[in-house]
Amino acid sequence: MRKTEILKDYDNYILTTYTRTPAIFVKGKGMTLIDITGKKYLDFFPGWGVSNVGHCHTKVVSAVRDQIGKLIHVPNNFYNPNQLKLAQEIVHWSFPAKIFFCNSGAEACEAAIKFSRIYGKKDRYEIISMEKSFHGRTLGALSATGQKKYQEGFAPLVEGFRIVPFNDIDAVKKSITDKTAAIMLELVQGEGGVHIAKKEYIQELSKICKEKNILLIFDEVQTGLGRTGEMFAYKNYGVTPDIMILAKSLGGGLPIGAIVVKKEISDVFKPGMHASTFGGSPIVCKAALGVFKAIEKNSMLKNAKKMGLYAIEKFEELKKEFSCIKEVRGLGLMLAIELNIEGKPIFDECFENGLIVNCTQGNILRIMPALNVTKKQMDKAFYILKKSFKKVTK
């Protein structure tokens, strides 16, 4: 099909739940996406953090090729060796735990909500979450999300969520009741605009949760698997959660989510309480094992820290030159600049010049390049960013 035919017919056949940029990508390799006309783009926002090891990494592709001819799907009431290997790999990089596999971050969030309510034994069912948070589009995850714009039109939402300001320990303390079962948050709020949790705040939260027997849930759907320079973002804070939620980059492009539950509380879930038809299939688990191999073999955690610091330097240089940049924020390769102007014209100009970034909250530009991004690719991206700022602000 030609580009014009696809664009013309798309909205006739596909539900219009997205605002789409008129691009049709047909090939991806590493940091590069190629569209249907052959134009190349430098992808600095690969799949909202799905492609942390780049597009079509050889370790992921070879793992999928190896598995696809053997067995694609088997229900979860049978044993699955790849699922076991993946669970062992996640535990190796995190903490002693048991894991439930599903298909997405929203599903993992739902599992965490259900687990919290079972843990609370009916008496405690409330979950405290944060303003500007984003936990997913299913009704439970949406109810936990601290952004009204995503909830409009979907009332009544699920009861039992108290949403408080981020990084405000007093607000959390005031919201805890005898019904509080869990506190759930992202350590770096991605969609909310790359707001980073303060270390002392997280350590105090952990202390409160232990004292009051409240579950501490870290949503690492976007920060997980190396994005902040550590395999999991919580390692930057010196605390360990009771529950960790994963998805996005875990499958290297294939759909998988996971809820990682600290071992000593994991038996709260009993057979029949929760399930997933497709979750943790042999093929997605094999792909995820390929992701871990790619990160380790290519020293991507070390590179993410190094290139993250370099990107901050480049953003600070832009800030000195363009007064429309209010603030530079970031941890590892999860970075943003907040503007005092609309960000979309700069996003559009970058796209026209072959650079994919993201604009969120109307005035925040985000970049999250693959963890193996090179200095040369970073320099090219900032050359395009600078060129775009010059054109939009002249």
Side-chain angles (χ1 to χ4, degrees):
M1 294 179 77
R2 294 179 179 176
K3 181 176 181 178
T4 51
E5 292 173 323
I6 294 171
L7 295 181
K8 180 184 172 187
D9 288 344
Y10 212 80
D11 287 345
N12 287 330
Y13 291 93
I14 306 294
L15 278 171
T16 52
T17 57
Y18 296 93
T19 301
R20 290 190 171 85
T21 301
I24 303 166
F25 294 113
V26 294
K27 193 173 180 182
K29 186 68 180 172
M31 297 286 299
T32 303
L33 277 176
I34 302 172
D35 76 7
I36 199 168
T37 69
K39 182 177 176 179
K40 291 183 179 179
Y41 293 78
L42 187 59
D43 191 357
F44 262 49
F45 203 71
W48 273 251
V50 165
S51 302
N52 274 6
V53 296
H55 295 283
C56 298
H57 193 283
T58 52
K59 291 288 182 190
V60 177
V61 172
S62 63
V64 171
R65 278 185 177 147
D66 178 64
Q67 182 62 42
I68 200 165
K70 295 177 181 172
L71 184 64
I72 295 173
H73 176 74
V74 64
N76 276 305
N77 51 334
F78 296 112
Y79 291 90
N80 172 352
N82 289 350
Q83 203 174 83
L84 174 61
K85 287 177 187 172
L86 179 57
Q88 289 171 329
E89 188 72 20
I90 292 171
V91 167
H92 168 72
W93 285 99
S94 57
F95 48 88
K98 291 186 182 180
I99 297 169
F100 171 85
F101 290 107
C102 50
N103 304 288
S104 69
E107 271 190 66
C109 183
E110 295 290 337
I113 292 167
K114 287 178 69 176
F115 186 95
S116 301
R117 290 194 171 193
I118 291 294
Y119 183 80
K121 297 178 180 174
K122 296 182 182 177
D123 297 327
R124 296 190 296 137
Y125 59 88
E126 288 183 350
I127 295 175
I128 296 172
S129 60
M130 305 298 151
E131 290 180 0
K132 295 184 180 177
S133 62
F134 183 83
H135 296 293
R137 304 279 189 162
T138 52
L139 205 54
L142 194 65
S143 303
T145 292
Q147 299 190 61
K148 292 286 184 190
K149 65 181 179 180
Y150 293 119
Q151 299 170 339
E152 287 175 4
F154 297 109
L157 298 174
V158 176
E159 293 182 3
F161 292 93
R162 288 172 172 250
I163 296 172
V164 302
F166 189 53
N167 269 331
D168 185 339
I169 198 68
D170 289 334
V172 172
K173 288 178 180 175
K174 287 174 185 172
S175 293
I176 292 174
T177 71
D178 56 3
K179 294 184 174 60
T180 306
I183 297 172
M184 179 163 64
L185 73 158
E186 303 154 279
L187 293 161
V188 182
Q189 293 184 329
E191 199 281 337
V194 186
H195 298 285
I196 303 163
K198 294 173 185 171
K199 191 169 185 176
E200 59 271 24
Y201 170 71
I202 295 301
Q203 290 182 339
E204 184 65 18
L205 273 185
S206 177
K207 184 181 169 191
I208 291 169
C209 286
K210 283 176 183 167
E211 286 173 356
K212 297 183 178 294
N213 190 25
I214 293 170
L215 296 176
L216 182 59
I217 304 171
F218 289 159
D219 180 341
E220 294 237 24
V221 167
Q222 197 160 76
T223 53
L225 271 65
R227 178 51 55 193
T228 67
E230 297 286 350
M231 189 63 84
F232 303 112
Y234 79 84
K235 289 179 174 285
N236 293 291
Y237 291 86
V239 301
T240 303
D242 297 300
I243 294 175
M244 178 169 65
I245 301 168
L246 302 174
K248 289 198 184 296
S249 66
L250 183 58
L254 271 69
I256 184 171
I259 168 176
V260 184
V261 181
K262 196 180 275 185
K263 197 163 189 175
E264 54 261 41
I265 59 170
S266 58
D267 290 339
V268 167
F269 260 168
K270 305 295 183 192
M273 281 185 172
H274 198 59
S276 172
T277 298
F278 294 103
S281 74
I283 197 164
V284 295
C285 288
K286 196 70 181 283
L289 287 164
V291 171
F292 277 104
K293 282 182 185 173
I295 290 174
E296 194 169 12
K297 181 175 172 53
N298 300 115
S299 302
M300 290 190 191
L301 299 181
K302 186 178 175 184
N303 191 64
K305 287 181 183 175
K306 183 180 173 185
M307 286 296 103
L309 291 173
Y310 185 62
I312 290 281
E313 282 179 29
K314 302 297 284 184
F315 270 138
E316 291 290 356
E317 286 176 16
L318 280 181
K319 186 170 181 276
K320 287 176 185 170
E321 192 167 345
F322 298 98
S323 60
C324 61
I325 299 177
K326 284 171 59 183
E327 189 178 15
V328 174
R329 298 190 289 268
L331 183 61
L333 282 173
M334 196 167 179
L335 302 143
I337 48 176
E338 184 166 344
L339 312 173
N340 56 25
I341 60 173
E342 285 293 311
K344 188 170 185 307
I346 295 170
F347 164 84
D348 290 338
E349 192 60 27
C350 284
F351 194 80
E352 181 64 26
N353 286 292
L355 174 67
I356 299 173
V357 297
N358 172 254
C359 179
T360 186
Q361 305 292 320
N363 68 330
I364 297 172
L365 293 178
R366 283 195 290 168
I367 65 167
M368 296 198 303
L371 309 183
N372 53 352
V373 62
T374 65
K375 185 172 179 290
K376 186 178 178 182
Q377 290 164 333
M378 197 70 87
D379 287 339
K380 184 179 178 182
F382 276 90
Y383 169 78
I384 296 173
L385 267 169
K386 186 174 179 178
K387 184 178 170 184
S388 302
F389 268 95
K390 274 185 179 176
K391 182 161 184 184
V392 170
T393 61
K394 69 181 178 182

